[in-house]
Amino acid sequence: MKVLITGTNGLLGQHLAPLLLKKGYEVVATGKGEPRFALEAGAPIRYHSIDITDPMNVYHLMELEKPEVVVHAAAMTQVDDCEKDPEHCEQTNVQATTQLLVDAETFSRHFIYLSTDFVFDGERGNYGEEDELSPVNFYGFTKLQAEGVVQTSEIPWAIVRTSLVYGNVSHARRSNIIGWIRESLEKRQPIKVVSDQRRTPTFVEDLAQGIILIIEKKATGIYHIAGKDELSPYEMAIQTAELLQLDHSNIEKVDASSFSQPGKRPPRTSLLIGKARKELGYEPLSFREGLRKVLGKT
Ligand SMILES: NC(=O)c1ccc[n+]([C@@H]2O[C@H](COP(=O)([O-])OP(=O)(O)OC[C@H]3O[C@@H](n4cnc5c(N)ncnc54)[C@H](OP(=O)(O)O)[C@@H]3O)[C@@H](O)[C@H]2O)c1
């Protein structure tokens, strides 16, 4: 079965592509510019450089490849960048998703869209798939809009909402929370980490595995694919320091109010994963287990 991934140079794409290959899928990887992910030499994968905001190129690629499954992970993911350039964010996250979906309706059989816990306002946490959406920043708003478009699709669709994804990443433009904490601690750089935001941090390989379960089961609808523990970034930083046996006196516990960021952050957006467990057999690692893998402490 042929699976096309958008955003393969990103954190999720870099892990999903090799996992799909290992399971025997034919993988069409796409990303902006040159490929920036590590694969074993000779891996049977085709890479196409494509800007998803260019509808004609997207159409021609979909016509050429006719993938049975599309996993749409590419997005403008930086909350503050979306706030500063809402037009570009809307074009990337909503318009490009709409275009890709139209093409998938012609050439594909299953469309899987990556969304976020930031579609919720974060006032109470422990959100289920059917809870009310009320994003507090523009990034979350564009993901909500794209979710709405996906739900009108004429082909089977799945929406995967995830939360604060962590894992190792090569040659990516951005690091992720564990990479940033580790690097700062190793360089003995003081860091300020918030303790009044709570997430369900998601090990990237668990997320990739959840998506593969959706593909295998041809599952449709909305699924929360996240970690099973609710933590604050500060708690994550302390656990990282402990596992690495590094001094955590450089980690300063702060409130979100001590940062002046363009995009507001929702305080508590933990996701309930009971539906994915029951319907897909999804079972993520604990945060400590995932962290051990990322830090090579297994
Ligand atoms: N990471 C998280 O904590 C998190 C949490 C909740 C939801 N999600 C969602 O999960 C999905 C995957 O996240 P991720 O962590 O893998 O994000 P990521 O590392 O930021 O990767 C996103 C990828 O999209 C690509 N992209 C952006 N604009 C593009 C365009 N116009 N054309 C082609 N590619 C474009 C980026 O390319 P460049 O590398 O060239 O910039 C990047 O490789 C996203 O949809 C995100 O919204 C992520």
Side-chain angles (χ1 to χ4, degrees):
M1 191 190 287
K2 192 192 278 191
V3 181
L4 182 142
I5 307 170
T6 67
T8 319
N9 290 322
L11 174 58
L12 169 62
Q14 289 198 4
H15 290 265
L16 181 60
L19 209 60
L20 281 166
L21 284 171
K22 213 193 283 178
K23 298 232 169 200
Y25 289 89
E26 186 180 348
V27 177
V28 179
T30 73
K32 244 189 327 184
E34 293 300 304
R36 283 179 275 119
F37 48 91
L39 279 177
E40 282 169 28
I45 189 167
R46 277 192 300 292
Y47 179 84
H48 298 271
S49 169
I50 190 135
D51 182 334
I52 56 162
T53 63
D54 179 340
M56 224 159 88
N57 273 341
V58 171
Y59 174 83
H60 286 311
L61 178 65
M62 290 289 285
E63 186 188 33
L64 174 76
E65 291 289 358
K66 298 183 180 60
E68 278 153 284
V69 180
V70 175
V71 179
H72 180 31
M76 188 161 162
T77 55
Q78 300 303 100
V79 170
D80 293 331
D81 291 350
C82 281
E83 220 64 33
K84 287 186 267 184
D85 191 352
E87 214 171 295
H88 187 206
C89 183
E90 203 269 341
Q91 197 187 13
T92 309
N93 292 358
V94 187
Q95 290 180 37
T97 301
T98 309
Q99 184 61 43
L100 188 61
L101 188 67
V102 167
D103 298 335
E105 282 172 352
T106 309
F107 300 113
S108 306
R109 289 197 217 138
H110 197 183
F111 189 88
I112 301 171
Y113 175 66
L114 265 296
S115 188
T116 171
D117 53 343
F118 279 22
V119 291
F120 297 110
D121 63 15
E123 289 304 317
R124 66 170 177 81
N126 282 329
Y127 292 105
E129 281 80 356
E130 301 307 324
D131 282 329
E132 191 192 341
L133 309 186
S134 180
V136 299
N137 54 47
F138 196 73
Y139 164 73
F141 175 67
T142 59
K143 295 301 248 185
L144 171 153
Q145 286 208 306
E147 281 196 12
V149 173
V150 171
Q151 291 181 44
T152 66
S153 175
E154 286 170 12
I155 60 165
W157 55 265
I159 290 170
V160 173
R161 293 194 194 122
T162 190
S163 171
L164 198 56
V165 185
Y166 64 94
N168 290 317
V169 66
S170 59
H171 311 296
R173 292 203 202 289
R174 289 168 288 281
S175 179
N176 58 85
I177 183 158
I178 301 301
W180 168 70
I181 294 168
R182 176 182 203 163
E183 211 181 299
S184 311
L185 291 174
E186 284 174 347
K187 289 183 183 161
R188 297 176 198 280
Q189 277 170 352
I191 47 172
K192 294 180 181 197
V193 192
V194 290
S195 60
D196 59 347
Q197 290 172 1
R198 301 193 70 77
R199 312 281 181 246
T200 30
T202 308
F203 180 43
V204 66
E205 287 178 23
D206 284 335
L207 175 59
Q209 192 52 49
I211 292 167
I212 291 175
L213 288 168
I214 288 176
I215 296 173
E216 280 170 355
K217 292 182 184 296
K218 298 185 173 42
T220 57
I222 303 172
Y223 288 95
H224 288 178
I225 303 284
K228 59 182 168 192
D229 301 315
E230 185 191 85
L231 289 103
S232 70
Y234 175 75
E235 289 164 344
M236 295 168 72
I238 294 294
Q239 287 199 30
T240 306
E242 281 170 3
L243 264 185
L244 290 171
Q245 295 178 311
L246 290 169
D247 176 17
H248 41 72
S249 62
N250 278 332
I251 305 171
E252 186 185 344
K253 181 178 179 176
V254 295
D255 285 349
S257 60
S258 65
F259 294 108
S260 59
Q261 294 166 303
K264 196 175 165 199
R265 300 323 196 249
R268 186 177 176 214
T269 57
S270 43
L271 299 177
L272 296 176
I273 55 170
K275 181 182 176 194
R277 276 183 161 141
K278 193 166 160 226
E279 294 185 12
L280 305 173
Y282 170 71
E283 197 48 62
L285 299 178
S286 67
F287 177 68
R288 194 166 279 276
E289 288 166 335
L291 191 60
R292 278 189 174 281
K293 289 205 164 212
V294 173
L295 301 176
K297 300 281 176 191
T298 48

